[in-house]
PDB file of all heavy atoms in Angstrom:
ATOM      1  N   PRO A 729      -6.706 -11.123  -1.446  1.00  0.00           N
ATOM      2  CA  PRO A 729      -7.766 -11.063  -0.330  1.00  0.00           C
ATOM      3  C   PRO A 729      -8.464 -12.412  -0.191  1.00  0.00           C
ATOM      4  O   PRO A 729      -8.949 -12.730   0.986  1.00  0.00           O
ATOM      5  CB  PRO A 729      -8.671 -10.025  -0.788  1.00  0.00           C
ATOM      6  CG  PRO A 729      -8.505  -9.758  -2.283  1.00  0.00           C
ATOM      7  CD  PRO A 729      -7.042 -10.164  -2.532  1.00  0.00           C
ATOM      8  N   GLY A 730      -8.642 -13.205  -1.161  1.00  0.00           N
ATOM      9  CA  GLY A 730      -9.369 -14.450  -0.987  1.00  0.00           C
ATOM     10  C   GLY A 730      -8.600 -15.517  -0.123  1.00  0.00           C
ATOM     11  O   GLY A 730      -9.236 -16.457   0.314  1.00  0.00           O
ATOM     12  N   MET A 731      -7.263 -15.302   0.030  1.00  0.00           N
ATOM     13  CA  MET A 731      -6.492 -16.134   0.908  1.00  0.00           C
ATOM     14  C   MET A 731      -6.717 -15.836   2.393  1.00  0.00           C
ATOM     15  O   MET A 731      -6.379 -16.619   3.288  1.00  0.00           O
ATOM     16  CB  MET A 731      -5.005 -16.119   0.627  1.00  0.00           C
ATOM     17  CG  MET A 731      -4.645 -16.641  -0.744  1.00  0.00           C
ATOM     18  SD  MET A 731      -4.535 -18.393  -0.686  1.00  0.00           S
ATOM     19  CE  MET A 731      -3.105 -18.743   0.203  1.00  0.00           C
ATOM     20  N   GLY A 732      -7.307 -14.616   2.655  1.00  0.00           N
ATOM     21  CA  GLY A 732      -7.557 -14.235   4.027  1.00  0.00           C
ATOM     22  C   GLY A 732      -7.225 -12.682   4.192  1.00  0.00           C
ATOM     23  O   GLY A 732      -6.259 -12.233   3.605  1.00  0.00           O
ATOM     24  N   LEU A 733      -8.071 -12.024   4.855  1.00  0.00           N
ATOM     25  CA  LEU A 733      -7.921 -10.563   5.175  1.00  0.00           C
ATOM     26  C   LEU A 733      -7.789 -10.285   6.671  1.00  0.00           C
ATOM     27  O   LEU A 733      -8.597 -10.912   7.348  1.00  0.00           O
ATOM     28  CB  LEU A 733      -8.950  -9.694   4.584  1.00  0.00           C
ATOM     29  CG  LEU A 733      -8.889  -9.438   3.133  1.00  0.00           C
ATOM     30  CD1 LEU A 733     -10.310  -8.756   2.720  1.00  0.00           C
ATOM     31  CD2 LEU A 733      -7.843  -8.545   2.743  1.00  0.00           C
ATOM     32  N   SER A 734      -6.891  -9.358   7.067  1.00  0.00           N
ATOM     33  CA  SER A 734      -6.974  -8.967   8.455  1.00  0.00           C
ATOM     34  C   SER A 734      -8.002  -7.830   8.577  1.00  0.00           C
ATOM     35  O   SER A 734      -7.800  -6.692   8.775  1.00  0.00           O
ATOM     36  CB  SER A 734      -5.513  -8.473   8.984  1.00  0.00           C
ATOM     37  OG  SER A 734      -5.203  -7.377   8.081  1.00  0.00           O
ATOM     38  N   LEU A 735      -9.261  -8.377   8.592  1.00  0.00           N
ATOM     39  CA  LEU A 735     -10.450  -7.370   8.471  1.00  0.00           C
ATOM     40  C   LEU A 735     -11.609  -8.024   9.293  1.00  0.00           C
ATOM     41  O   LEU A 735     -11.837  -9.224   9.019  1.00  0.00           O
ATOM     42  CB  LEU A 735     -10.808  -7.181   7.044  1.00  0.00           C
ATOM     43  CG  LEU A 735     -11.968  -6.209   6.753  1.00  0.00           C
ATOM     44  CD1 LEU A 735     -11.551  -4.760   7.142  1.00  0.00           C
ATOM     45  CD2 LEU A 735     -12.478  -6.251   5.286  1.00  0.00           C
ATOM     46  N   ALA A 736     -12.229  -7.325  10.108  1.00  0.00           N
ATOM     47  CA  ALA A 736     -13.336  -7.844  10.914  1.00  0.00           C
ATOM     48  C   ALA A 736     -14.360  -8.356   9.962  1.00  0.00           C
ATOM     49  O   ALA A 736     -14.767  -7.759   9.026  1.00  0.00           O
ATOM     50  CB  ALA A 736     -13.938  -6.692  11.760  1.00  0.00           C
ATOM     51  N   GLY A 737     -14.940  -9.625  10.234  1.00  0.00           N
ATOM     52  CA  GLY A 737     -15.901 -10.258   9.418  1.00  0.00           C
ATOM     53  C   GLY A 737     -15.426 -11.098   8.276  1.00  0.00           C
ATOM     54  O   GLY A 737     -16.227 -11.797   7.627  1.00  0.00           O
ATOM     55  N   ASP A 738     -14.183 -11.068   8.025  1.00  0.00           N
ATOM     56  CA  ASP A 738     -13.614 -11.860   6.888  1.00  0.00           C
ATOM     57  C   ASP A 738     -13.678 -13.259   7.202  1.00  0.00           C
ATOM     58  O   ASP A 738     -13.451 -13.732   8.370  1.00  0.00           O
ATOM     59  CB  ASP A 738     -12.163 -11.474   6.527  1.00  0.00           C
ATOM     60  CG  ASP A 738     -11.690 -12.172   5.333  1.00  0.00           C
ATOM     61  OD1 ASP A 738     -12.244 -11.905   4.175  1.00  0.00           O
ATOM     62  OD2 ASP A 738     -10.827 -13.035   5.288  1.00  0.00           O
ATOM     63  N   LEU A 739     -14.061 -14.186   6.298  1.00  0.00           N
ATOM     64  CA  LEU A 739     -14.287 -15.554   6.600  1.00  0.00           C
ATOM     65  C   LEU A 739     -13.116 -16.516   6.212  1.00  0.00           C
ATOM     66  O   LEU A 739     -13.082 -17.617   6.551  1.00  0.00           O
ATOM     67  CB  LEU A 739     -15.505 -16.107   5.706  1.00  0.00           C
ATOM     68  CG  LEU A 739     -16.865 -15.352   6.026  1.00  0.00           C
ATOM     69  CD1 LEU A 739     -17.955 -15.872   5.084  1.00  0.00           C
ATOM     70  CD2 LEU A 739     -17.278 -15.659   7.500  1.00  0.00           C
ATOM     71  N   ASN A 740     -12.107 -15.950   5.362  1.00  0.00           N
ATOM     72  CA  ASN A 740     -11.064 -16.761   4.803  1.00  0.00           C
ATOM     73  C   ASN A 740      -9.887 -16.839   5.657  1.00  0.00           C
ATOM     74  O   ASN A 740      -9.410 -15.850   6.239  1.00  0.00           O
ATOM     75  CB  ASN A 740     -10.882 -16.281   3.357  1.00  0.00           C
ATOM     76  CG  ASN A 740     -12.113 -16.284   2.511  1.00  0.00           C
ATOM     77  OD1 ASN A 740     -12.796 -17.376   2.525  1.00  0.00           O
ATOM     78  ND2 ASN A 740     -12.430 -15.192   1.870  1.00  0.00           N
ATOM     79  N   ASN A 741      -9.247 -18.040   5.572  1.00  0.00           N
ATOM     80  CA  ASN A 741      -8.068 -18.380   6.382  1.00  0.00           C
ATOM     81  C   ASN A 741      -7.098 -19.380   5.724  1.00  0.00           C
ATOM     82  O   ASN A 741      -6.436 -20.152   6.405  1.00  0.00           O
ATOM     83  CB  ASN A 741      -8.473 -18.904   7.806  1.00  0.00           C
ATOM     84  CG  ASN A 741      -9.433 -20.015   7.688  1.00  0.00           C
ATOM     85  OD1 ASN A 741      -9.507 -20.803   6.673  1.00  0.00           O
ATOM     86  ND2 ASN A 741     -10.192 -20.286   8.764  1.00  0.00           N
ATOM     87  N   CYS A 742      -7.089 -19.317   4.354  1.00  0.00           N
ATOM     88  CA  CYS A 742      -6.304 -20.254   3.695  1.00  0.00           C
ATOM     89  C   CYS A 742      -4.819 -20.262   3.962  1.00  0.00           C
ATOM     90  O   CYS A 742      -4.097 -21.166   3.743  1.00  0.00           O
ATOM     91  CB  CYS A 742      -6.583 -20.147   2.210  1.00  0.00           C
ATOM     92  SG  CYS A 742      -8.292 -20.624   1.709  1.00  0.00           S
ATOM     93  N   TRP A 743      -4.358 -19.043   4.326  1.00  0.00           N
ATOM     94  CA  TRP A 743      -2.902 -18.883   4.620  1.00  0.00           C
ATOM     95  C   TRP A 743      -2.556 -19.860   5.866  1.00  0.00           C
ATOM     96  O   TRP A 743      -1.478 -20.359   5.960  1.00  0.00           O
ATOM     97  CB  TRP A 743      -2.586 -17.464   5.054  1.00  0.00           C
ATOM     98  CG  TRP A 743      -2.500 -16.498   3.988  1.00  0.00           C
ATOM     99  CD1 TRP A 743      -3.336 -15.485   3.615  1.00  0.00           C
ATOM    100  CD2 TRP A 743      -1.380 -16.478   2.953  1.00  0.00           C
ATOM    101  NE1 TRP A 743      -2.922 -14.732   2.545  1.00  0.00           N
ATOM    102  CE2 TRP A 743      -1.706 -15.288   2.154  1.00  0.00           C
ATOM    103  CE3 TRP A 743      -0.328 -17.211   2.730  1.00  0.00           C
ATOM    104  CZ2 TRP A 743      -0.894 -14.917   1.070  1.00  0.00           C
ATOM    105  CZ3 TRP A 743       0.578 -16.808   1.691  1.00  0.00           C
ATOM    106  CH2 TRP A 743       0.178 -15.751   0.853  1.00  0.00           C
ATOM    107  N   ASP A 744      -3.482 -20.112   6.795  1.00  0.00           N
ATOM    108  CA  ASP A 744      -3.234 -20.930   8.013  1.00  0.00           C
ATOM    109  C   ASP A 744      -2.675 -22.277   7.499  1.00  0.00           C
ATOM    110  O   ASP A 744      -1.776 -22.825   8.188  1.00  0.00           O
ATOM    111  CB  ASP A 744      -4.477 -21.093   8.806  1.00  0.00           C
ATOM    112  CG  ASP A 744      -4.884 -19.878   9.496  1.00  0.00           C
ATOM    113  OD1 ASP A 744      -4.347 -18.756   9.280  1.00  0.00           O
ATOM    114  OD2 ASP A 744      -5.811 -19.954  10.398  1.00  0.00           O
ATOM    115  N   TYR A 745      -3.206 -22.808   6.479  1.00  0.00           N
ATOM    116  CA  TYR A 745      -2.741 -24.147   6.036  1.00  0.00           C
ATOM    117  C   TYR A 745      -1.296 -24.136   5.454  1.00  0.00           C
ATOM    118  O   TYR A 745      -0.728 -25.144   5.330  1.00  0.00           O
ATOM    119  CB  TYR A 745      -3.839 -24.688   5.023  1.00  0.00           C
ATOM    120  CG  TYR A 745      -5.143 -24.898   5.664  1.00  0.00           C
ATOM    121  CD1 TYR A 745      -6.059 -23.886   5.567  1.00  0.00           C
ATOM    122  CD2 TYR A 745      -5.413 -25.970   6.414  1.00  0.00           C
ATOM    123  CE1 TYR A 745      -7.327 -24.008   6.256  1.00  0.00           C
ATOM    124  CE2 TYR A 745      -6.681 -26.155   7.062  1.00  0.00           C
ATOM    125  CZ  TYR A 745      -7.622 -25.207   6.980  1.00  0.00           C
ATOM    126  OH  TYR A 745      -8.900 -25.233   7.573  1.00  0.00           O
ATOM    127  N   CYS A 746      -0.962 -22.958   4.921  1.00  0.00           N
ATOM    128  CA  CYS A 746       0.474 -22.780   4.509  1.00  0.00           C
ATOM    129  C   CYS A 746       1.399 -22.714   5.775  1.00  0.00           C
ATOM    130  O   CYS A 746       2.526 -23.037   5.658  1.00  0.00           O
ATOM    131  CB  CYS A 746       0.588 -21.616   3.654  1.00  0.00           C
ATOM    132  SG  CYS A 746      -0.429 -21.560   2.171  1.00  0.00           S
ATOM    133  N   PHE A 747       0.901 -22.244   6.808  1.00  0.00           N
ATOM    134  CA  PHE A 747       1.763 -22.099   8.096  1.00  0.00           C
ATOM    135  C   PHE A 747       1.924 -23.367   8.852  1.00  0.00           C
ATOM    136  O   PHE A 747       2.871 -23.537   9.623  1.00  0.00           O
ATOM    137  CB  PHE A 747       1.065 -20.990   9.002  1.00  0.00           C
ATOM    138  CG  PHE A 747       0.791 -19.701   8.448  1.00  0.00           C
ATOM    139  CD1 PHE A 747      -0.195 -18.950   8.942  1.00  0.00           C
ATOM    140  CD2 PHE A 747       1.646 -19.236   7.365  1.00  0.00           C
ATOM    141  CE1 PHE A 747      -0.410 -17.666   8.487  1.00  0.00           C
ATOM    142  CE2 PHE A 747       1.398 -17.921   6.856  1.00  0.00           C
ATOM    143  CZ  PHE A 747       0.340 -17.203   7.380  1.00  0.00           C
ATOM    144  N   GLU A 748       1.018 -24.320   8.633  1.00  0.00           N
ATOM    145  CA  GLU A 748       0.955 -25.480   9.437  1.00  0.00           C
ATOM    146  C   GLU A 748       2.274 -26.261   9.466  1.00  0.00           C
ATOM    147  O   GLU A 748       2.799 -26.699  10.547  1.00  0.00           O
ATOM    148  CB  GLU A 748      -0.182 -26.447   9.114  1.00  0.00           C
ATOM    149  CG  GLU A 748      -0.377 -27.573  10.010  1.00  0.00           C
ATOM    150  CD  GLU A 748      -1.584 -28.477   9.694  1.00  0.00           C
ATOM    151  OE1 GLU A 748      -2.125 -28.350   8.604  1.00  0.00           O
ATOM    152  OE2 GLU A 748      -1.954 -29.219  10.548  1.00  0.00           O
ATOM    153  N   HIS A 749       2.824 -26.566   8.354  1.00  0.00           N
ATOM    154  CA  HIS A 749       4.198 -27.200   8.253  1.00  0.00           C
ATOM    155  C   HIS A 749       5.132 -26.303   7.550  1.00  0.00           C
ATOM    156  O   HIS A 749       5.542 -26.428   6.404  1.00  0.00           O
ATOM    157  CB  HIS A 749       4.051 -28.461   7.586  1.00  0.00           C
ATOM    158  CG  HIS A 749       3.001 -29.454   8.118  1.00  0.00           C
ATOM    159  ND1 HIS A 749       3.126 -30.044   9.371  1.00  0.00           N
ATOM    160  CD2 HIS A 749       1.697 -29.841   7.731  1.00  0.00           C
ATOM    161  CE1 HIS A 749       2.050 -30.815   9.631  1.00  0.00           C
ATOM    162  NE2 HIS A 749       1.262 -30.664   8.641  1.00  0.00           N
ATOM    163  N   GLU A 750       5.440 -25.219   8.176  1.00  0.00           N
ATOM    164  CA  GLU A 750       6.020 -23.989   7.642  1.00  0.00           C
ATOM    165  C   GLU A 750       7.285 -24.379   6.736  1.00  0.00           C
ATOM    166  O   GLU A 750       7.351 -23.973   5.515  1.00  0.00           O
ATOM    167  CB  GLU A 750       6.456 -23.037   8.673  1.00  0.00           C
ATOM    168  CG  GLU A 750       6.841 -21.660   8.178  1.00  0.00           C
ATOM    169  CD  GLU A 750       8.326 -21.548   7.967  1.00  0.00           C
ATOM    170  OE1 GLU A 750       9.094 -22.218   8.602  1.00  0.00           O
ATOM    171  OE2 GLU A 750       8.707 -20.707   7.140  1.00  0.00           O
ATOM    172  N   THR A 751       8.240 -25.110   7.347  1.00  0.00           N
ATOM    173  CA  THR A 751       9.489 -25.223   6.512  1.00  0.00           C
ATOM    174  C   THR A 751       9.154 -26.114   5.278  1.00  0.00           C
ATOM    175  O   THR A 751       9.729 -25.702   4.198  1.00  0.00           O
ATOM    176  CB  THR A 751      10.479 -26.009   7.474  1.00  0.00           C
ATOM    177  OG1 THR A 751      10.654 -25.235   8.626  1.00  0.00           O
ATOM    178  CG2 THR A 751      11.792 -26.268   6.711  1.00  0.00           C
ATOM    179  N   THR A 752       8.535 -27.156   5.334  1.00  0.00           N
ATOM    180  CA  THR A 752       8.148 -28.011   4.261  1.00  0.00           C
ATOM    181  C   THR A 752       7.339 -27.280   3.223  1.00  0.00           C
ATOM    182  O   THR A 752       7.583 -27.217   1.981  1.00  0.00           O
ATOM    183  CB  THR A 752       7.460 -29.311   4.581  1.00  0.00           C
ATOM    184  OG1 THR A 752       8.346 -30.006   5.617  1.00  0.00           O
ATOM    185  CG2 THR A 752       7.261 -30.160   3.409  1.00  0.00           C
ATOM    186  N   THR A 753       6.315 -26.530   3.701  1.00  0.00           N
ATOM    187  CA  THR A 753       5.328 -25.847   2.834  1.00  0.00           C
ATOM    188  C   THR A 753       6.090 -24.813   2.025  1.00  0.00           C
ATOM    189  O   THR A 753       5.840 -24.598   0.814  1.00  0.00           O
ATOM    190  CB  THR A 753       4.186 -25.296   3.656  1.00  0.00           C
ATOM    191  OG1 THR A 753       3.566 -26.370   4.355  1.00  0.00           O
ATOM    192  CG2 THR A 753       3.131 -24.727   2.649  1.00  0.00           C
ATOM    193  N   VAL A 754       6.924 -24.021   2.646  1.00  0.00           N
ATOM    194  CA  VAL A 754       7.693 -23.012   2.022  1.00  0.00           C
ATOM    195  C   VAL A 754       8.395 -23.512   0.751  1.00  0.00           C
ATOM    196  O   VAL A 754       8.383 -22.964  -0.301  1.00  0.00           O
ATOM    197  CB  VAL A 754       8.635 -22.220   2.956  1.00  0.00           C
ATOM    198  CG1 VAL A 754       9.740 -21.467   2.205  1.00  0.00           C
ATOM    199  CG2 VAL A 754       7.877 -21.274   3.782  1.00  0.00           C
ATOM    200  N   MET A 755       9.082 -24.590   1.016  1.00  0.00           N
ATOM    201  CA  MET A 755       9.811 -25.279  -0.111  1.00  0.00           C
ATOM    202  C   MET A 755       8.920 -25.647  -1.242  1.00  0.00           C
ATOM    203  O   MET A 755       9.213 -25.407  -2.492  1.00  0.00           O
ATOM    204  CB  MET A 755      10.636 -26.464   0.404  1.00  0.00           C
ATOM    205  CG  MET A 755      11.732 -26.112   1.438  1.00  0.00           C
ATOM    206  SD  MET A 755      13.059 -24.982   0.718  1.00  0.00           S
ATOM    207  CE  MET A 755      13.819 -26.168  -0.392  1.00  0.00           C
ATOM    208  N   GLU A 756       7.834 -26.284  -0.918  1.00  0.00           N
ATOM    209  CA  GLU A 756       6.879 -26.693  -1.937  1.00  0.00           C
ATOM    210  C   GLU A 756       6.229 -25.546  -2.650  1.00  0.00           C
ATOM    211  O   GLU A 756       6.069 -25.643  -3.927  1.00  0.00           O
ATOM    212  CB  GLU A 756       5.880 -27.656  -1.289  1.00  0.00           C
ATOM    213  CG  GLU A 756       6.541 -28.927  -0.819  1.00  0.00           C
ATOM    214  CD  GLU A 756       5.448 -29.761   0.047  1.00  0.00           C
ATOM    215  OE1 GLU A 756       4.396 -29.267   0.384  1.00  0.00           O
ATOM    216  OE2 GLU A 756       5.788 -30.946   0.352  1.00  0.00           O
ATOM    217  N   VAL A 757       5.782 -24.528  -1.859  1.00  0.00           N
ATOM    218  CA  VAL A 757       5.096 -23.509  -2.550  1.00  0.00           C
ATOM    219  C   VAL A 757       6.007 -22.670  -3.545  1.00  0.00           C
ATOM    220  O   VAL A 757       5.693 -22.289  -4.598  1.00  0.00           O
ATOM    221  CB  VAL A 757       4.467 -22.434  -1.515  1.00  0.00           C
ATOM    222  CG1 VAL A 757       3.909 -21.226  -2.113  1.00  0.00           C
ATOM    223  CG2 VAL A 757       3.219 -23.174  -0.803  1.00  0.00           C
ATOM    224  N   SER A 758       7.294 -22.362  -2.903  1.00  0.00           N
ATOM    225  CA  SER A 758       8.167 -21.659  -3.760  1.00  0.00           C
ATOM    226  C   SER A 758       8.573 -22.348  -5.057  1.00  0.00           C
ATOM    227  O   SER A 758       8.669 -21.775  -6.192  1.00  0.00           O
ATOM    228  CB  SER A 758       9.448 -21.300  -2.996  1.00  0.00           C
ATOM    229  OG  SER A 758      10.126 -22.474  -2.496  1.00  0.00           O
TER     230      SER A 758
END
Side-chain angles (χ1 to χ4, degrees):
M731 291 285 287
L733 282 170
S734 56
L735 184 69
D738 188 66
L739 301 174
N740 298 310
N741 52 22
C742 294
W743 285 109
D744 288 10
Y745 298 92
C746 300
F747 304 153
E748 185 175 15
H749 305 291
E750 189 269 333
T751 302
T752 302
T753 305
V754 160
M755 296 297 292
E756 293 172 348
V757 170
S758 59

